């Protein structure tokens, strides 16, 4: 990472500040922080964040679903980004109020779109997890390539049901360096980078 690139503090996106929400899961979303490796999200019932109901430091995506909240309650939330060295300051804290919550968890919530997430951890050794979203069933291929475009691993090559999927990549015999992983489902194609450190 060059010295000119500094992690930005994530900006909260949804639910809108002071909004009222009525259905679970409640999806907290925020902007991507350049050069970050992950995000730390806190949700509290007080604006000083002394009573935490969520304190999640494992997020690599820019969203976090909430379930099990109380109806007719004010909640406050904030996010910060981190890398291997440091973390940003907290974002501005936003609040939302729950109405009479109705859960849609009885039927699994399907993703709204095809998406290939950033692997976690990254850089990695000896293994990493790759997650992807399938809004509909489809024939999925997920392959890993080296810098020259040569295929070094085929992780998925099968028909899959809709949902959020994950696969573990534990490379054998590969040297340290930059690799690409690519997901194909029908006309959807997405490619991301990952770094193997031996």
């Amino acid at each position: 990472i060059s010295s000119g690139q500094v992690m930005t503090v994530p900006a909260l996106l949804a639910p809108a500040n002071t909004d009222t929400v009525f259905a679970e899961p409640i999806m907290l979303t925020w902007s991507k922080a350049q050069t970050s490796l992950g995000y730390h999200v806190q949700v509290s019932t007080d604006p000083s964040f002394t009573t935490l109901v969520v304190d999640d430091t494992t997020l690599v995506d820019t969203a976090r679903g909430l379930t099990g909240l109380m109806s007719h309650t004010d909640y406050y939330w904030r996010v910060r980004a981190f890398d291997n060295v440091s973390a940003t300051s907290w974002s501005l804290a936003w609040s939302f109020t729950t109405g009479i919550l109705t859960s849609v968890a009885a039927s699994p919530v399907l993703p709204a779109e095809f998406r290939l997430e950033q692997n976690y951890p990254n850089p990695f050794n000896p293994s990493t997890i790759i997650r992807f979203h399938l809004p509909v069933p489809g024939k999925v291929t997920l392959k890993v390539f080296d810098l020259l475009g040569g295929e070094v691993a085929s992780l998925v090559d099968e028909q899959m049901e809709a949902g959020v999927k994950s696969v573990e990549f534990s490379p054998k015999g590969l040297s340290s360096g930059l690799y690409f992983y690519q997901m194909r489902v029908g006309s959807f194609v997405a490619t991301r980078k990952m770094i193997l450190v031996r």
Side-chain angles (χ1 to χ4, degrees):
I1 300 173
S2 69
S3 59
Q5 288 185 300
V6 178
M7 278 192 300
T8 52
V9 178
L12 306 188
L13 300 177
N17 195 19
T18 71
D19 204 1
T20 301
V21 294
F22 294 95
E24 291 186 332
I26 298 164
M27 292 303 297
L28 306 180
T29 60
W30 55 91
S31 64
K32 181 177 176 61
Q34 296 303 319
T35 77
S36 70
L37 296 179
Y39 301 94
H40 182 183
V41 172
Q42 289 186 335
V43 181
S44 175
T45 52
D46 65 273
S48 57
F49 291 88
T50 55
T51 307
L52 294 176
V53 293
V54 171
D55 190 16
D56 192 343
T57 62
T58 66
L59 298 163
V60 293
D61 205 3
T62 54
R64 171 63 152 85
L66 301 178
T67 58
L69 300 184
M70 296 179 293
S71 297
H72 300 297
T73 305
D74 292 332
Y75 288 94
Y76 302 84
W77 67 289
R78 61 185 182 180
V79 182
R80 64 180 176 182
F82 60 84
D83 59 19
N84 285 329
V85 180
S86 62
T88 66
S89 57
W90 288 105
S91 66
L92 291 175
W94 278 11
S95 68
F96 62 88
T97 302
T98 52
I100 299 176
L101 288 174
T102 58
S103 176
V104 291
S107 57
V109 179
L110 294 179
E113 61 184 5
F114 289 107
R115 188 193 313 170
L116 177 62
E117 294 188 9
Q118 185 64 51
N119 64 299
Y120 183 80
N122 185 48
F124 70 96
N125 179 31
S127 64
T128 188
I129 300 295
I130 298 171
R131 295 206 320 165
F132 52 93
H133 297 204
L134 302 175
V136 295
K139 172 70 180 299
V140 181
T141 62
L142 180 61
K143 297 182 177 183
V144 181
F145 300 90
D146 59 23
L147 278 173
L148 299 178
E151 182 181 327
V152 297
S154 177
L155 304 181
V156 178
D157 187 4
E158 62 183 89
Q159 181 75 21
M160 302 187 82
E161 294 299 316
V164 178
K165 313 294 183 179
S166 64
V167 61
E168 184 175 7
F169 178 43
S170 302
K172 301 289 191 293
L174 294 183
S175 57
S176 297
L178 178 66
Y179 293 88
F180 299 90
Y181 57 102
Q182 184 178 80
M183 169 187 170
R184 289 179 176 270
V185 189
S187 61
F188 174 82
V189 181
T191 306
R192 284 184 176 268
K193 301 175 184 178
M194 60 182 169
I195 300 173
L196 173 61
V197 179
R198 290 298 189 188

